[in-house]
Amino acid sequence: QVQVVESGGGLVQAGGSLRLSCTVSGLTFDRYSMGWFRQAPGKEREGVSCVAYYGSTVYADSVKGRFIISRDNAKKTVYLQMNRLKPEDTAMYYCAAAYGFATCEERSYNYWGQGTQVTVSS
């Protein structure tokens, strides 16, 4: 059984930082591309950043230069370091896994976590 578990969300002031973690079990992690997605109230879910199984990364324009995605295959964990946070980053953040190569489009991802809430106060 595949499990995807996010952690690290919370309340932070604008300009602050958070690091999200996502640990996966039940699959061969290094064969999966991993993505972080977010959904703000009243908005559609959007791709934030994704890392392919071989390590290439992609970022949404809104987070480029502020967020860094990384993965540790030995720990079966993907991270999202979020710096210089803005109130508009407030959302539920989801981690997801896709077998093989995947772009940062949610339809490509098969396994999803329950999400972790990030709230940025102004």
Side-chain angles (χ1 to χ4, degrees):
Q1 183 180 357
V2 177
Q3 288 191 315
V4 179
V5 181
E6 305 99 334
S7 61
L11 173 64
V12 64
Q13 288 188 331
S17 298
L18 282 175
R19 188 175 82 153
L20 305 183
S21 299
C22 170
T23 301
V24 180
S25 60
L27 52 75
T28 307
F29 185 76
D30 59 5
R31 297 181 184 177
Y32 281 74
S33 296
M34 299 297 299
W36 285 99
F37 300 81
R38 67 186 181 187
Q39 187 168 22
K43 294 188 177 181
E44 292 187 354
R45 191 155 56 185
E46 63 174 354
V48 176
S49 182
C50 297
V51 55
Y53 69 95
Y54 55 86
S56 69
T57 59
V58 62
Y59 296 91
D61 288 344
S62 59
V63 306
K64 281 181 182 176
R66 299 189 297 123
F67 290 12
I68 301 171
I69 191 170
S70 62
R71 63 188 297 159
D72 185 333
N73 288 344
K75 294 183 178 180
K76 296 188 175 183
T77 299
V78 60
Y79 304 97
L80 186 67
Q81 177 67 44
M82 305 187 295
N83 302 317
R84 292 185 282 133
L85 282 159
K86 304 176 181 180
E88 50 263 45
D89 294 318
T90 295
M92 184 69 79
Y93 282 72
Y94 298 92
C95 176
Y99 183 77
F101 174 77
T103 62
C104 213
E105 296 182 24
E106 63 174 285
R107 64 175 180 234
S108 299
Y109 290 77
N110 312 103
Y111 302 105
W112 291 80
Q114 294 298 307
T116 185
Q117 178 68 38
V118 172
T119 303
V120 184
S121 63
S122 57

